Amino acid sequence: EVALAAAEALLADQTRILGPDHPHTLATRNNITYWQAESGAIEAALAAAEALLADQTRILGPDHPHTLSTRNNITYWQAESGAIEAALAAAEALLADQTRILGPDHPHTLNTRNNITRWQAESGAIEDALAAAEALLADRTRILGPDHPHTLNTRNNITRWQAESGAIEAALAAAEALLADRTRILGPDHPDTLTTRNNIARWQAESGAIEVALAAAEALLADQ
């Protein structure tokens, strides 16, 4: 709240002194939208970001990195507000432009692909999300390497959506392999490692191996 009030005061002075189209003025408006969202005022952040996007497009051009960044924020906040279908449509359009401008291997392009897989799953299109995540995993492994946190996160999403689609045995096998790599890379005490162990215990129980799941959960509980 303090940061937002200070930024609003700064914006007024930048607008008066530098003008509304100055890069610094636009940057402060961007900060305000971000902090509005962080404070939970998603609808206000979305309205401010849409207005900022119109001005960035006019001043900087539609292909400028800052314009693309604002479009990314809008898609994220649309999803946060529950407008998954709108977020998916906006993200697909953004992905096409990021691929054209930044290239298919750019981190921002990969991040948008990751968001699309998540929102596909949230909208109930699990099979589409799985196929997109498998393709993303191949590219993240190639570009970032198999041990990168983003690569590991994509593997985690795949195991979760396999389980949600009913492929519990496949999810368990993938989660066991992920657990080995997370233990090696992140360490046995990392939150992501513990989360994978929790998922394994849950899916063991869902597969009918209650005694195995109980033993795994008791060991996990001790470490947690």
Side-chain angles (χ1 to χ4, degrees):
E1 294 301 319
V2 175
L4 269 172
E8 293 283 1
L10 174 62
L11 177 62
D13 287 336
Q14 285 177 322
T15 303
R16 175 175 57 83
I17 299 163
L18 303 174
D21 293 353
H22 193 279
H24 292 177
T25 307
L26 296 177
T28 298
R29 288 175 63 189
N30 178 72
N31 291 341
I32 288 170
T33 65
Y34 182 80
W35 295 330
Q36 283 174 323
E38 287 285 294
S39 72
I42 302 294
E43 294 302 324
L46 268 170
E50 292 283 0
L52 174 62
L53 177 62
D55 287 334
Q56 285 176 324
T57 303
R58 174 177 56 84
I59 299 161
L60 305 175
D63 293 352
H64 192 279
H66 292 177
T67 307
L68 296 178
S69 179
T70 298
R71 288 175 63 189
N72 177 74
N73 291 343
I74 288 170
T75 65
Y76 186 79
W77 297 330
Q78 284 174 323
E80 287 283 295
S81 72
I84 302 295
E85 294 302 323
L88 268 171
E92 293 283 1
L94 174 62
L95 177 61
D97 288 334
Q98 286 176 324
T99 302
R100 173 178 57 84
I101 299 161
L102 305 175
D105 293 352
H106 193 279
H108 292 176
T109 308
L110 297 177
N111 182 64
T112 298
R113 289 175 62 189
N114 179 70
N115 289 341
I116 288 170
T117 65
R118 278 198 303 121
W119 299 331
Q120 284 174 323
E122 286 185 28
S123 72
I126 301 293
E127 295 302 322
D128 290 340
L130 269 170
E134 292 283 1
L136 175 61
L137 177 61
D139 287 334
R140 277 185 158 169
T141 301
R142 173 178 57 85
I143 298 161
L144 305 174
D147 293 352
H148 193 280
H150 292 176
T151 307
L152 297 177
N153 285 343
T154 300
R155 289 174 62 189
N156 177 73
N157 289 342
I158 288 170
T159 65
R160 189 155 51 91
W161 297 330
Q162 284 174 323
E164 286 186 24
S165 72
I168 301 294
E169 294 302 323
L172 270 171
E176 292 282 2
L178 176 61
L179 177 60
D181 288 334
R182 277 185 158 169
T183 302
R184 173 178 57 84
I185 299 161
L186 305 174
D189 296 345
H190 192 279
D192 290 349
T193 307
L194 297 177
T195 295
T196 301
R197 289 175 61 189
N198 179 73
N199 290 341
I200 288 170
R202 191 155 52 91
W203 298 332
Q204 285 171 327
E206 288 186 23
S207 73
I210 302 294
E211 294 302 322
V212 175
L214 269 171
E218 291 285 358
L220 173 62
L221 178 60
D223 287 335
Q224 285 176 329

